[in-house]
Amino acid sequence: MGKNYTTIEDIARKTGKSIATVSRVLNGIDQKGIPISSKTKEIVLSTARELGYVPNFAARALSLKNSMAIGLIIPDIMQLYFNELCYIISKLAAEKGYSIILSHSYEDSRAERKALEMLVSRRVNGIILAPCTGDKNMDMLKAIRKQQIPLILVDRYFKDFNQFNYVTTDDVEGCSQLVKHILDKGVQNILFIAGNPETSVSAERIEGYRKAFSDAGVKVAEENIIESSYFQEDGYRITLELIKSGRIKKAGALISVNDYVALGVLDALEENGVRIPDDIFTAGYGNNKFLKYFKTPLTTVNQHIESLAVSAFSQLIGLIEGRILTEKHIKVPCTLVARRSTGD
Amino acid sequence: MGKNYTTIEDIARKTGKSIATVSRVLNGIDQKGIPISSKTKEIVLSTARELGYVPNFAARALSLKNSMAIGLIIPDIMQLYFNELCYIISKLAAEKGYSIILSHSYEDSRAERKALEMLVSRRVNGIILAPCTGDKNMDMLKAIRKQQIPLILVDRYFKDFNQFNYVTTDDVEGCSQLVKHILDKGVQNILFIAGNPETSVSAERIEGYRKAFSDAGVKVAEENIIESSYFQEDGYRITLELIKSGRIKKAGALISVNDYVALGVLDALEENGVRIPDDIFTAGYGNNKFLKYFKTPLTTVNQHIESLAVSAFSQLIGLIEGRILTEKHIKVPCTLVARRSTGD
DNA sequence: TTGAAAGCGCTAACAC
DNA sequence: GTGTTAGCGCTTTCAA
């Protein structure tokens, strides 16, 4: 940043004009009222080009109090769900002239806190956050809210504090559909690697799981709901344990809180010769686009990330532009994608 | 950004100290030489906390001439290859205290140009660029080089201009191994959806293709090397054409320039009842981690993105920190991953 | 140990 | 139409 970039002052000196005039020309102010002689315009523009002038955004941001940047914090972009979210947000942001500052939390609240601090420090116009498990940063989020920094939660929200704007999927419905689908096939012993119930996503999916059982008039075996985190290795580790303890043999299905975890499940089952769907049903969640190519195409739930991302972004822009949002909370419906891994 | 954030001046006023002192305390300058009385330190720090002070990065950047940001431009983060690249770069950057500004080019040079302009304007400390097809932005890249803005090309480079630092995979070797593997199985009619030969990646892979043939003493059928772009729909569209024209029937293999394109190939083959590997061999390139789960696990080439990303980043940091780099060009070796789609 | 003041590059109110 | 000048919030020299 310290490499002798040309400044408007250089241009002013060279053209014999004032920096104000240069600034006006460069910003095309004449279109907005104040007229500028076309000679001046021409000379300024040409020497700007000649000198290779590129405006200094930091200076501009400082003066304008506008960073033209949006912060995006996600747990892990390697998860296809967040990957696609990021892709769409990035695309929409570019269209509106915003830059995207991307940060990871890795499901770790300290990393998330650092990222939030950085974004506030950079005075981003707004933040889109897929919060990590837990609510350790609630204080900070509340401070951000108090500062009136536009903030949209995606994918996950906080049950105990619904003052934030958020966009999520209807996970109760999604998981309930999935479990119903399995129950309908006569399978009742459904193991569920459910993630962390402190996270809204898991809480809702667990609720959906229960709902499907209660709708079917079947009692839930509590021990079948298994806590975890959200990575592939969680699926792998837990499935191995289930195999060792013999619980897999008695189970009719083993479903996962997301597609990523499901991958670990597949690995562990494969290694131990457990066949899908013959020996056990299985399913993911999130509609990873590769699942359909699998040896046993995997049943999953399509969360319609695109529409989720689009509405998260438009909510954020609404807040940034000071519009009053009619809905503070948006739930995007989701749809079951039944495939062979559940016997379809 | 205009929401009445507390400034060091507010803190100065409230504590009765000068802004210089406040600034020093906040930056922990005392550890770097200049001593500050512990009383002052204490009071400044506590009122900073009390007032919820968060430093303004733009102001800091302007004064320090340091944005503490790194720009990353990739064609498309939905390609797993770039996804992983982005993940690793982001992680390494965070460790060093840099923020990542992410931009997409979508293989479109105008979008790439806009992104580059934006990054220069933001005075990023350095840029990691996976250039899009063609060399339409060569002027700009040369200007960036002239400005001495640290720049590392990844994945792709420019044959005609090797003054840029770059980190790539050894694509000649990779593709040659892949084709040799197929030739060794007695298959000689190998269709290759090759991407755009203007792009180094494609040029090298085509070279590797030729090399394998010439090593085997077999003549290349030029029409078997098919130009394309790098998206799934390219694979799909081209394969359909090949099916219609009857060329598929005569071919022994249909390989793709990357895993993404290979997906389109799979779709088209599947829809038309062409079986893999029975009717035709196929392969991807890039070692997408899902390929091994496929109905017919897909042969591919592992490009070891992690080591590629790590060296790209450390090269960049080297440039940023003004170190002299011993190697200007790095080629990461790659390894064949043979699976059932080539009859393994 | 601390403060005054200049400067980073740009915008915008105000004057001519 | 154009120039002067006061910020934007922070760092850093130079003095005290």
Side-chain angles (χ1 to χ4, degrees), chain B residues 243-317:
Chain B
I243 290 172
K244 269 189 200 138
S245 67
R247 288 179 66 191
I248 284 286
K249 279 224 173 66
K250 288 181 237 149
L254 170 54
I255 63 177
S256 300
V257 69
N258 69 31
D259 291 330
Y260 216 36
V261 171
L263 239 46
V265 171
L266 292 187
D267 287 337
L269 293 179
E270 169 85 22
E271 280 175 19
N272 289 276
V274 184
R275 293 162 308 160
I276 308 164
D278 313 47
D279 298 331
I280 198 166
F281 283 179
T282 188
Y285 202 110
N287 198 30
N288 168 324
K289 70 179 202 185
F290 296 101
L291 302 183
K292 70 169 182 176
Y293 298 99
F294 279 23
K295 187 169 85 184
T296 309
L298 217 62
T299 293
T300 186
V301 175
N302 185 349
Q303 300 191 78
H304 303 289
I305 310 176
E306 168 135 21
S307 81
L308 187 132
V310 167
S311 57
F313 187 78
S314 76
Q315 290 281 98
L316 187 71
I317 290 296

Side-chain angles (χ1 to χ4, degrees), chain B residues 18 20-21 24 34 36-37 40 63 65:
Chain B
S18 73
T21 302
R24 281 181 198 119
I34 307 164
I36 299 171
S37 90
T40 324
S63 179
K65 290 167 176 285

